Amino acid sequence: MNAAMVNKKWIELQYKIVEEFDVDTPDIQGFLFLIGIQELGQGPKKFSKRQKEELMHIANCKLFSAMGFYELEGLDQDGWPHWKLIKTIPNYTILEQEMIMKSLIIDYFEEMNLNTI
C-alpha cells in the first residue's frame, strides 16, 4: 500500500472511530491503547498508568507479529498476553515508523472486521 493510500485509509479509520465511540480523533497512541484493550479481551475498565503502557506494548507486539517480529508466548495468570521478540526490528526512520504503524493499524482493523475501510 503506497503512502497516499495509507493516509487516506488512516483518515477514514480515524473518522470511523470518532463516529462509533464519540471520542476525540485518535492518534497512533490512541489506536495502540484500543488495540491493547481488544487483545487483552477483558473489556473496557479503569487501568493504571502502568497497565496502559502494558496495553500499548501488547498492541505493538500484536501489530509487529504480522511482520514476523514477535510471537505470542501465552497468557499470564491474570490473562495478560506475553510476547517474545523473535527477530530484531530494523532502525526505521521516524517517517517510516509512522507509515508502518498506520499501515499495521489499518490492517489490524480490517482483519478483525472492526472497520469497513
Side-chain angles (χ1 to χ4, degrees):
M1 194 173 355
N2 66 36
M5 182 58 73
V6 168
N7 286 324
K8 178 183 181 298
K9 286 187 167 214
W10 178 255
I11 291 167
E12 291 170 0
L13 179 58
Q14 285 178 310
Y15 179 77
K16 179 108 173 144
I17 295 298
V18 166
E19 289 296 305
E20 285 189 21
F21 297 103
D22 192 28
V23 295
D24 291 335
T25 304
D27 58 8
I28 289 174
Q29 300 298 323
F31 276 107
L32 291 176
F33 182 66
L34 289 173
I35 292 168
I37 291 171
Q38 177 69 26
E39 290 302 309
L40 180 60
Q42 297 179 3
K45 61 182 182 179
K46 287 270 190 191
F47 293 102
S48 69
K49 182 179 180 192
R50 178 168 163 73
Q51 288 174 321
K52 288 177 183 177
E53 291 169 354
E54 290 173 6
L55 287 167
M56 292 171 65
H57 175 70
I58 289 168
N60 270 306
C61 293
K62 173 64 179 176
L63 293 174
F64 278 100
S65 71
M67 295 176 69
F69 292 111
Y70 284 94
E71 176 178 274
L72 182 63
E73 286 188 301
L75 304 177
D76 67 17
Q77 66 276 6
D78 297 321
W80 286 68
H82 288 269
W83 297 82
K84 176 174 71 174
L85 182 66
I86 55 174
K87 124 176 140 175
T88 304
I89 299 172
N91 288 323
Y92 296 113
T93 67
I94 297 295
L95 188 58
E96 287 171 331
Q97 288 176 36
E98 183 178 323
M99 277 296 135
I100 290 167
M101 289 304 294
K102 285 180 178 180
S103 181
L104 289 171
I105 290 167
I106 291 163
D107 290 347
Y108 176 87
F109 279 88
E110 287 178 343
E111 288 170 17
M112 297 298 290
N113 293 318
L114 299 174
N115 192 358
T116 56
I117 57 175

